[in-house]
């Protein structure tokens, strides 16, 4: 009892010796450390809430006066056939692109994970589509898909296919955008999955080989469950990226022909810079944000569960 009383007395003596100014500095020090993060948070939240406010107005770039109209912009979106077409086009393009990119990237990752001569060169070549800016990629493919002088038609001409208007016919233009998107993004999927394959523990696969398990069993029961966090991570990045696809479409078709390749990002661009309707354009952006947020939140929760499961399996 005397020891505890002495200890508390000594502690009070030490606190009494600390100058009040030093104590105030110690109290403010954590806030000073968190100030950059707080400023960054304000820099994100202020434009976000400002955009929400403008989406509830009839603000136009060509006039300074605007009125608060509530949810009229959002109600107008439900009656806007052009917006619904762009929304459907965006979701369709994202869905088909992911269905192609994930299996194709998985197959490339499996091939590149095997030790072979020259495999490092192939892995380096896989980075080439990712190193080009999206606008440059769009202009490059626009030149290659030209009806008269394009490289693609030159390669197809020996097979009797000549002067195909890849970017002038609605269906061909949509398929061309899909092909360019797959060409650009599949290497990213392959690299993430390749890193996941290389990070897998070797002991379960060696034990399966000793037991004579076929590759199909190893792939379904071992590799896929262990790679689930990487697959979800790839889906999360790719969904966010493909839903806001703009650069390639803008550089190749501009959303045409006949709005066949118009996505929400292209629709927002036209709403702002052709019709100067900023309030209505921000309402479209908010719809895109909600779709991205819901998809990201769902996949992030699945990723956390998959990572926890994978950690538990590895611990065993």
């Amino acid at each position: 009892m005397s020891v505890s009383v002495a200890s508390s007395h000594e502690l009070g003596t030490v606190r009494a010796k600390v100058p009040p100014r030093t104590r105030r500095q110690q109290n403010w020090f954590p806030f000073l450390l968190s100030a950059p993060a707080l400023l960054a948070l304000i820099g994100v939240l202020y434009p976000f809430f400002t955009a929400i406010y403008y989406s509830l107005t009839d603000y136009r770039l060509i006039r300074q006066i605007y009125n608060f109209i509530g949810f009229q912009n959002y109600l107008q979106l439900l009656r806007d056939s052009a917006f619904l077409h762009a929304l459907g086009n965006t979701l369709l393009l994202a869905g088909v692109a992911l269905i192609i990119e994930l299996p194709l990237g998985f197959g490339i990752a499996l091939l590149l994970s095997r030790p072979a001569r020259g495999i490092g060169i192939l892995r380096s070549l896989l980075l080439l589509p990712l190193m080009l800016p999206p606008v440059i990629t769009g202009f490059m493919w626009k030149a290659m898909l030209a009806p008269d002088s394009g490289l693609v038609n030159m390669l197809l001409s020996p097979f009797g296919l000549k002067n195909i208007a890849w970017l002038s016919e609605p269906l061909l233009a949509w398929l061309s955008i899909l092909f360019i998107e797959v060409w650009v993004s599949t290497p990213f999927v392959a690299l993430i999955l390749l890193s996941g394959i290389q990070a897998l523990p070797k002991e379960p696969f060696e034990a399966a080989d000793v037991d004579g398990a076929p590759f199909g069993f190893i792939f379904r029961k071992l590799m896929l469950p262990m790679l689930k966090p990487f697959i979800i991570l790839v889906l999360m990045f790719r969904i966010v990226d493909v839903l806001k696809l703009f650069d390639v479409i803008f550089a190749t078709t501009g959303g045409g022909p006949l709005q066949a390749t118009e996505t929400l990002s292209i629709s927002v661009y036209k709403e702002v810079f052709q019709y100067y309707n900023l309030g209505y354009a921000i309402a479209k952006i908010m719809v895109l944000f909600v779709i991205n947020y819901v998809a990201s939140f769902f996949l992030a929760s699945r990723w956390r569960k998959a990572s926890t499961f994978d950690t538990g399996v590895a611990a065993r």
Side-chain angles (χ1 to χ4, degrees), residues 3-284:
V3 174
S4 61
V5 171
S7 300
S8 53
H9 177 72
E10 292 175 358
L11 182 60
T13 305
V14 171
R15 287 179 178 174
K17 291 180 179 179
V18 178
R21 182 178 179 182
T22 305
R23 262 183 283 170
R24 285 196 297 269
Q25 291 175 350
Q26 292 175 350
N27 293 335
W28 279 101
F29 189 65
F31 296 100
L32 292 177
L33 291 179
S34 61
L38 182 61
L39 291 176
L41 182 64
I42 295 174
V44 171
L45 292 181
Y46 177 75
F48 176 73
F49 286 110
T50 302
I52 292 178
Y53 172 73
Y54 280 136
S55 71
L56 304 175
T57 67
D58 60 352
Y59 184 56
R60 296 175 63 87
L61 293 178
I62 57 177
R63 70 184 186 194
Q64 298 295 326
I65 301 175
Y66 56 89
N67 302 308
F68 183 82
I69 59 174
F71 292 96
Q72 291 299 317
N73 285 330
Y74 294 95
L75 295 176
Q76 178 63 28
L77 291 177
L78 300 176
R79 302 187 294 266
D80 190 348
S81 59
F83 165 77
L84 296 177
H85 172 77
L87 176 61
N89 224 3
T90 302
L91 297 177
L92 180 62
L93 182 63
V96 177
L98 290 174
I99 290 174
I100 297 174
E101 290 170 8
L102 191 60
L104 184 59
F106 209 141
I108 295 174
L110 288 175
L111 290 176
L112 295 180
S113 65
R114 299 178 179 274
R117 182 176 297 178
I119 201 71
I121 298 176
L122 293 178
R123 291 174 183 174
S124 300
L125 292 176
L126 194 65
L127 294 173
L128 289 179
L130 299 175
M131 296 170 64
L132 294 174
V135 175
I136 301 300
T137 300
F139 284 122
M140 180 187 72
W141 278 102
K142 185 177 183 179
M144 294 173 64
L145 295 172
D148 301 326
S149 58
L151 179 62
V152 175
N153 282 338
M154 291 175 60
L155 295 175
L156 294 176
S157 59
F159 302 97
L161 302 173
K162 299 180 179 180
N163 298 331
I164 301 177
W166 295 101
L167 301 178
S168 299
E169 296 292 333
L171 180 59
L172 290 179
W174 193 90
L175 293 175
S176 299
I177 294 296
L178 175 64
F179 174 80
I180 297 171
E181 168 61 22
V182 170
W183 181 81
V184 171
S185 302
T186 299
F188 173 80
V189 177
L191 289 174
I192 297 296
L193 295 180
L194 176 61
S195 65
I197 292 173
Q198 293 177 336
L200 295 179
K202 293 181 172 52
E203 291 79 7
F205 298 94
E206 292 174 353
D209 287 335
V210 171
D211 293 338
F215 177 77
F217 176 85
I218 295 175
F219 181 77
R220 294 193 314 271
K221 300 298 184 179
L222 290 178
M223 185 173 290
L224 275 182
M226 291 182 180
L227 286 177
K228 191 175 180 181
F230 294 91
I231 295 173
I232 296 175
L233 185 66
V234 165
L235 283 174
M236 187 162 53
F237 279 112
R238 290 301 308 128
I239 285 177
V240 171
D241 193 47
V242 74
L243 283 176
K244 60 182 181 64
L245 182 63
F246 174 81
D247 312 73
V248 171
I249 299 176
F250 182 77
T252 51
T253 64
L258 301 176
Q259 297 180 333
T261 60
E262 183 171 308
T263 58
L264 275 180
S265 298
I266 297 292
S267 177
V268 169
Y269 172 83
K270 290 182 177 180
E271 200 70 46
V272 175
F273 295 101
Q274 292 184 9
Y275 310 121
Y276 308 108
N277 197 349
L278 186 62
Y280 193 55
I282 295 178
K284 293 182 178 181

